[in-house]
Amino acid sequence: MAIGAWILIALMSIWCVESKYMVYNTTSKIVPGKLNVHLVAHSHDDVGWLKTVDQYYVGSNNSIQGACVQNVLDSIVPALLADKNRKFIYVEQAFFQRWWRDQSETVQETVKQLINSGQLELINGGMCMHDEATSHYIDMIDQTTLGHRFIKQEFNLTPRIGWQIDPFGHSAVQAYLLSAEVGFDSLFFARIDYQDRAKRKDEKSLEVVWRGSKSLGSSAQIFAGAFPENYEPPSNFYYEVNDDSPIVQDNMELFDYNVPERVNEFVAAALSQANITRTNHVMWTMGTDFKYQYAHTWFRQMDKFIHYVNQDGRVNALYSTPSIYTDAKYATNEAWPLKTDDYFPYADRINAYWTGYFTSRPGLKGYVRTMSSYYLAARQLEFFKGRSKVRPNTDYLADALALAQHHDGLTGTSKQHVANDYAKRLSIGYEEAKKVVETSLASITSSSSKTDSGSPVTKFQQCLLLNISYCPASEVDLSNGKNLVVVVYNPLGWKREDVIRIPVIDENVIVKDSEGKEIESQLLPLPNASLTIRNHYSVAYLGKFPSVTPKYWLAFSASAPPIGLNTYFISKSKRPDTVVAAPSKSHVVYISEEKQNDVIEVGPGDLKLVYSANQGKLIGYINSRTMVKESVGQSYSFYSGSVDKKQASGAYVFRPNHTYSTKSDGQASFTVLRGPLLDEVHQRINSWIYQITRVYKGKEHAEFEFIVGPIPTDDGIGKEVVTQISTHMKTNKTFYTDSSGRDFLERIRDYRKDWKLEVNQPVAGNYYPINLGMYIKDASKELSILVDRSVGGASIKDGHLELMLHRRLLHDDGRGVAEALNETVCILNKCSGLTVVGKYYLRIDPLGEAAKWRRSFGQEIYSPFLLAFTEQEGDGWTNSHVLSFTGMDPSYVLPDNVAMITLQELDDGKVLLRLAHLYEIGEDKDLSVMASVQLKKVFAHRKINKLTEMSLSANQGRAEMEKKRLVWKAEGFPGEAPQVMRGGPVDPATLVVELAPMEIRTFVIDFD
Amino acid sequence: MAIGAWILIALMSIWCVESKYMVYNTTSKIVPGKLNVHLVAHSHDDVGWLKTVDQYYVGSNNSIQGACVQNVLDSIVPALLADKNRKFIYVEQAFFQRWWRDQSETVQETVKQLINSGQLELINGGMCMHDEATSHYIDMIDQTTLGHRFIKQEFNLTPRIGWQIDPFGHSAVQAYLLSAEVGFDSLFFARIDYQDRAKRKDEKSLEVVWRGSKSLGSSAQIFAGAFPENYEPPSNFYYEVNDDSPIVQDNMELFDYNVPERVNEFVAAALSQANITRTNHVMWTMGTDFKYQYAHTWFRQMDKFIHYVNQDGRVNALYSTPSIYTDAKYATNEAWPLKTDDYFPYADRINAYWTGYFTSRPGLKGYVRTMSSYYLAARQLEFFKGRSKVRPNTDYLADALALAQHHDGLTGTSKQHVANDYAKRLSIGYEEAKKVVETSLASITSSSSKTDSGSPVTKFQQCLLLNISYCPASEVDLSNGKNLVVVVYNPLGWKREDVIRIPVIDENVIVKDSEGKEIESQLLPLPNASLTIRNHYSVAYLGKFPSVTPKYWLAFSASAPPIGLNTYFISKSKRPDTVVAAPSKSHVVYISEEKQNDVIEVGPGDLKLVYSANQGKLIGYINSRTMVKESVGQSYSFYSGSVDKKQASGAYVFRPNHTYSTKSDGQASFTVLRGPLLDEVHQRINSWIYQITRVYKGKEHAEFEFIVGPIPTDDGIGKEVVTQISTHMKTNKTFYTDSSGRDFLERIRDYRKDWKLEVNQPVAGNYYPINLGMYIKDASKELSILVDRSVGGASIKDGHLELMLHRRLLHDDGRGVAEALNETVCILNKCSGLTVVGKYYLRIDPLGEAAKWRRSFGQEIYSPFLLAFTEQEGDGWTNSHVLSFTGMDPSYVLPDNVAMITLQELDDGKVLLRLAHLYEIGEDKDLSVMASVQLKKVFAHRKINKLTEMSLSANQGRAEMEKKRLVWKAEGFPGEAPQVMRGGPVDPATLVVELAPMEIRTFVIDFD
């Protein structure tokens, strides 16, 4: 301090000010004539990302990220109690449920009051804020139902608002199915393309009426708002503990009094937002990731803003929620711009298309899809057996699957240890559900009329690891008259036939059906590529080398009734132990002898794939039944991931180098195996890509199984591996991809319907998420690809389609995860890149006839046969067990255009049923029509006492939902919406359910 | 996720665990047979450091440091209410009082209950945790009293514990005066020399009985504990929001359950501490700087530790406070190692002596000392006038001074903007107190018997900026018969005579005393060095160039009665307007004519300073009265501050380069001015050091006024400027420095009494804080230096003393402030280094006779005359005003060994009086004896109704305090302590107060 400073001029006339307890006026409601600033206090709590969901909940591992959801929920209670005008929304039920279980009854009672009074509003309401690109719609429904039903049970409330503020782009299915059909009145989100956002700000069209479904149109529309920037407060209005936004210093006894400055800044920010918003209501999202750890810090400042801003009077600030905001918007009676289709792909700035995550972590994505399917089947079997009040049950798997739908979960954008956590939970859930499945199958097959009561309960085994050719249950020694009993469960509502493949150690085996008749089977040698993976991954993940080594796949065609099972028996052949001689009905494949010809046709049935043997490449596709013939190429390539410091390719962002690299060849090989049931083409593409193409006798599609990895990175370059299908079809830049596995949307290369696209990433900017499949068409044909998991896909050239199958990258892309997407598998600290095994399917149909395959076979991919194995001495099984079963009336199957997507006994003993029409309006000339399901035949064995149609998430009656749901007006559609087809009410007498195209109907059933 | 990972082994058998609300058992009390771990929850809240006190309170400026004390206090209330076993201590009353005023009555009521129940304990209890090196004991007492009386008034409680956990070394005065004498039962701190700490850990002597006063011995001893490492929790036990210590994850339904690991780590840390601690009680300081912003986060974890650690049973964990811990220690009846003297200097590691801060920000240190003195005088005058219920009063200055005592305040270790804040507060406080002073002086001087009621109230002016030769009140045109009335107030209890200097614009002036008699005066030309500073700092800090330029200092000798005033008149001489001719009693000084002689003697009285004119240097000191003669040198040097990356010299740490640089010469000059009252020697040492040495006729000491700065740093080197006094005295490494301005402690170079010192910094490690002065002695003489503010000092060679006067450094020293100590003064963004003006005083006495000067003149330095000016037309003043006044009986003065250090009307109308014996036992053969003060004569004008002796901080009766204070046993002193002298009880009839050596007695007086 300077000597002269001894007399710093004391301007402050503070002698008269006496500090005292200050009561802030926070009672403000909406003021009609003013700009209303709705302060929406919220915390965005990722259900796993940089930390696991449990770590986020308890606040451990804070060195990675300071985040503790317990703090948020603990601190919000007193903060809300302190002032009844304060409001808060909570979103992620995965966290809320964890917390709820931890609370005392007193706290629970208090929280119930806060919820009932509207101070604490639970919105969105699913277990997580699910991904919209890589989640399957069935998983989205399941995870939302899990959260919504909890809220209903505990609080007798139904969430009104969709709040998908962070997912990286937004799907049509989210809008019409997971918002409108669950009864939401609005849907809010933050991430839309930066070019789209700019235009919408300019035109005040961030808020729209969104009709996501062509088929359901205005009957399933939603008011949808994209935030102007993000889901955070305006800059300088962040009030977490230690945040450095200027606080409101209103104590005149202290220095730095700043009320006028802060009020001015508030008003300026409000007016700036009003400038891009219709009506005189703007929403401020007061919170961000894992904030409100000490809720008081936010409310203290918001109290002051509301008090002083309203004293100022230029704008009106109020505590609000998205519900209040929505109602205020609705009350203006405004008509809103109409939005159709979806908000994909998402780019947050130039060269930054978030289309990498469509494929990131393909192993996890595949695992989730497999578990999703298993969960569906397991619930059916749990229903047949009767749900047990005590564990094991399917709840843990339900929870694990719900968590995995999080928008950093199967999305592939979490840190590695968090991805492991999702997988661990799925594994635990599977282990428990497996027990349910095995018990149920044992119970179904053990007919009391057939078995003497003394016989032991059957112990079934299952083979989750068939994808790495590992199945201890089938790799057994069948000498001494042992039989391997194979129970084949079909979760679909249709009768179905499929070729099953299981590894066996003995080439001398035969297969019998449930009537004891030997059926045709085929042996296929296990390729070395598969055995290498089998051994490596067994050691890495099971901790042991497999005890035996199977030499063959045994393939046979199995059939099963709808939602039912059938039984097959595998035993040692009585014939001499020679392989090639007298193969009878079991065939060992042989190496193709046509090598001398260049052109080879592969396929034992109507479909022939045509190869050039010299080039080792697919060149044509011929279906002799449909007379479709097309020259088709198929290849693998990779993009080298950009390492541009400004924007690298990473877990989120796909940023290929402009140089488009093709594969490095070298040790390619090409082998054809033929047999009565299927032909296989084995192609070693290079040292790290192996492909088996299968053409089945009874199927008209080709199956491509790929083994990709370890992707080499010794050259310091990350790689994103794609497979490409090339044809000469004239597709005019147009292709079609599904929305969350349900509707197909038209995509046009280098084009967006909503704005004039500035193309800066000609590849990445044309990628779309694929869950079910994609297709192209020309004047006469449709070429469709279906997938076994979420991937990214595109049509970069006319007549071409490509899928991104695997990604291994060496740089982080700067969106928070702070890890390169470089998945490895390790044995004793020696790590190599992860190998991914998967499948996709290709078919070409005459124009207009492809939907049937895409829809029906799509269901088969989603729900493969569930196989269970048990060993049996001798032939006693047939006498003592039920060999065939269906849950429905044996004479009945579901219509071809209907799938049963949920059959589940709830914990109150009631049964949840969801039926889904599989076709859109106009999609198929025969099947895009009203369908009917006879529930009496579906539940042939039980009597339906009461049937209640519910909202999609089964938390309210459908009628009640429709009555109270807000009806929004779209610009240009001033009157009533065009007629939309919907199934009519269900007559309690006949119990026939009608389903219109794309309709999903949800019922809760009381059985007697 | 790897394909193989689909079956991650599900080891968790968690199916049976049902989460539920968990109640933790936190009821544990002390368990005799076990190691008791006292968990003391605390927050260390600096009253200004990186942010200002107000910024810390409201939580603004968080970009500098995330800290908000409001959060701490807000959140502690519900946290304590949630479990009545939880406890918290709060320390800094500056924050607590701000917060308390903000609270509703409901919250205040709740907090009162928490305080009454002992859940919330207010300890230490001063406004801040004052510095112990650079604070004056009077300021320490005042700031402690301010806090303690608030606590007494609001809560009827007296703090029991000293908690000086952060100050950078610990003073004897803190131990005996600010701990024992305020009634504390123990004192805790963290910062002691790292070598001392190591030895104490080894010998289990971190906890001691500390007798800080030789004079008061065991009657003012305290149990004092140094923490093993710091005032934070053991590593891995930090639980602020977002801290990354592992939490206790005890929910078996979630992953990462870790109760056994955490319990083991707790027990290990406890045992490790037990290993260096006597008795089976250890204290864990659960908190650190500005923690508990969300108190819940700490208590949640501590609840769990107490629950599970006690379930484990190896040690006993409990919620505790330093009071509970102290009582537990006391209950063991242990005898403790005896500690005397103090804990200075402090080094936290090799080469890191925190001795720089003894001098850092010498301007601020000087300002604080000036304000401290002014506050003392202002309270006296406020008492005479009668304290006003409404402002202005001295409260703001009291508060500002209290804040400035903080251990980053006058310490000099805050950021620059915070240092400015302290200064601003002092300035505001001064402006208000000035009004009190001026009103009181007007009231005292305006005798109602003398004035007619119609005359206007006198407007007095004061001149705070005399240090930069700036006094508008005296720089006035005295033509036209105007008089300048100078009222001289003496705050000391003794009659006193002193030479006053004021700037005048007219050389032709005379001075008259109150009887109208012209008295001797002397004019001294203002040197250019002073005028340059005057102009520069006026522009920089007052925003204007002074309107006139005085040419002279007018000096005259003034006297005033004890605690009273006298009046002088300055007017234009009636004689012709010539300067040199007939100077009468007003002398213009003349340039020394002795330049031809090399040896010059300077001084108009008994004391002569001997200079070598050729060298321009002091060479000798002769007192013809005492016959003391000594060859004495005096010079300036600087240390170049180390920029060693491992440890630079900075605000805290003094780390000189080993090369000891002397000043760079150049434009030196040497001038002697002589006069009847004083001689001055002007020395331009170099371009940035100017010195004026004064020898007064009636005084036997030399006064050195230094003008140091701007310290040049163009060479990239920071400099620490010292002045050195060199003699040939044989001092045997020994010198003496004061403790907080009170007791003198023996210091021995390169030696510590408590351990064998490893010398790594032969300069910095021998520096000690100087508040009053330092001295050396040999067989016959004592050489004493007294200072006008806190500085660092040392005796680096036998016979030498040095003071560090100013520091300007270019690097931060890594102790948190993160700024280089580089003070500048700016005009229109043009900044130059700060110049510091100050004084020190030197005297040599025969051995054993020096204490009188050090003590008496020490009081004069602390309390200079307070001057007030007013202009008066003609000679009417004398008739209409009181010219001389004393608050005491005119016949009475205080004894020579007693000072009145507090005279203050409290807000309840009672009067606080503190009397201090100024001598230690054995310090002076005449004055180190029992003294008596006759209160009836002190308060000659009032009648004492009731006199209550109080503890030092006036928050409890002295008798009550002594009755309940714990009596600790020191090792080697098993029985009663040696006899200590204390004044006896005060007879209410005679009202004579006895004071033993070093005794301070505090009274609250009720007047009729």
Side-chain angles (χ1 to χ4, degrees), chain A residues 299 514 667 781:
Chain A
F299 285 110
S514 56
Q667 41 185 302
K781 294 178 297 291

Side-chain angles (χ1 to χ4, degrees), chain A residues 1-10 12 14-22 52 54-55 57-63 66-68 70-71 74-75 98 101-105 240-245 247 249 251 253-256 293-294 296-297 300-301 304 361-364 366-367 370 391-392 396 416 419-421 423-425 427-428 430-432 434-435 464-465 467-468 533 537 541-543 789 823 825 834-837, chain B residues 1-10 12 14-22 52 54-55 57-63 65-68 70-71 74-75 98 101-105 240-245 247 249 251 253-256 293-294 296-297 300-301 304 361-364 366-367 370 391-392 396 416 419-421 423-425 427-428 430-432 434-435 464-465 467-468 533 537 541-543 789 823 825 834-837:
Chain A
M1 184 40 38
I3 43 174
W6 289 15
I7 194 165
L8 265 169
I9 303 127
M12 312 275 301
I14 58 170
W15 296 354
C16 330
V17 181
E18 275 303 313
S19 185
K20 62 173 201 300
Y21 173 57
M22 178 74 195
T52 70
D54 287 353
Q55 289 166 354
Y57 174 63
V58 300
S60 60
N61 228 344
N62 271 351
S63 60
C68 173
Q70 245 183 331
N71 286 347
D74 281 354
S75 74
R98 276 167 170 71
R101 291 193 293 267
D102 281 351
Q103 302 313 303
S104 68
E105 278 181 26
E240 189 71 357
V241 171
N242 295 342
D243 269 351
D244 60 3
S245 287
I247 56 145
Q249 209 298 64
N251 187 338
E253 245 199 2
L254 308 182
F255 290 145
D256 311 332
Q293 283 200 62
Y294 181 31
H296 182 62
T297 59
R300 184 201 286 138
Q301 299 304 324
K304 294 182 183 185
R361 301 194 184 277
L364 180 61
Y367 191 21
T370 301
R391 303 176 73 162
Y396 198 99
Q416 184 60 48
N420 294 347
D421 184 74
K424 181 164 87 172
R425 289 170 189 280
S427 173
I428 294 168
Y430 169 77
E431 289 294 322
E432 185 174 349
K434 195 171 74 167
K435 290 190 173 57
L464 182 66
L465 300 188
N467 65 333
I468 57 162
I533 291 177
Y537 283 80
Y541 289 103
L542 305 177
R789 74 193 68 190
E823 294 178 283
V825 55
L834 182 72
T835 296
V836 167
V837 180
Chain B
M1 185 38 40
I3 43 174
W6 291 14
I7 194 163
L8 266 167
I9 303 126
M12 314 273 301
I14 58 170
W15 296 355
C16 330
V17 181
E18 275 304 313
S19 185
K20 63 172 197 303
Y21 174 59
M22 178 76 194
T52 69
D54 286 352
Q55 289 167 355
Y57 174 63
V58 300
S60 60
N61 228 344
N62 272 349
S63 60
Q65 184 186 16
C68 173
Q70 245 184 333
N71 286 347
D74 281 353
S75 74
R98 276 167 171 70
R101 290 194 292 267
D102 281 349
Q103 301 313 302
S104 68
E105 279 181 25
E240 188 71 355
V241 171
N242 296 343
D243 269 351
D244 60 2
S245 286
I247 55 146
Q249 209 299 65
N251 186 339
E253 244 199 2
L254 308 182
F255 290 144
D256 313 329
Q293 282 201 61
Y294 182 31
H296 181 62
T297 60
R300 183 200 287 137
Q301 300 304 323
K304 294 182 183 185
R361 301 192 184 279
L364 179 62
Y367 192 21
T370 301
R391 304 177 75 164
Y396 198 99
Q416 184 61 48
N420 294 347
D421 184 74
K424 180 164 86 172
R425 291 171 188 279
S427 173
I428 295 169
Y430 169 76
E431 290 294 322
E432 187 173 349
K434 195 171 73 166
K435 291 190 174 56
L464 182 64
L465 299 188
N467 65 332
I468 58 162
I533 290 178
Y537 283 80
Y541 289 104
L542 304 178
R789 72 195 68 191
E823 293 178 284
V825 55
L834 181 72
T835 297
V836 167
V837 179

Side-chain angles (χ1 to χ4, degrees), chain A residues 385-399:
Chain A
K385 175 179 76 73
R387 182 185 154 89
S388 167
K389 290 273 176 204
V390 295
R391 303 176 73 162
N393 56 37
T394 55
D395 293 356
Y396 198 99
L397 181 56
D399 196 68

Side-chain angles (χ1 to χ4, degrees), chain A residues 106 125 173 197 266 283 329 398 423 608 743 748 791 818 835 954 982:
Chain A
T106 320
V173 153
R197 183 194 306 280
F266 187 102
M283 188 199 298
K329 289 284 184 183
K608 304 287 180 198
D743 307 62
I748 299 173
V791 294
T835 296
R982 288 269 184 184

Side-chain angles (χ1 to χ4, degrees), chain B residues 591-592 595 669-673 680-684 690:
Chain B
I591 308 302
S592 162
K595 272 237 158 153
S669 73
F670 179 78
T671 311
V672 180
L673 309 179
E680 283 189 349
V681 178
H682 287 243
Q683 289 167 282
R684 174 172 295 284
Y690 194 91

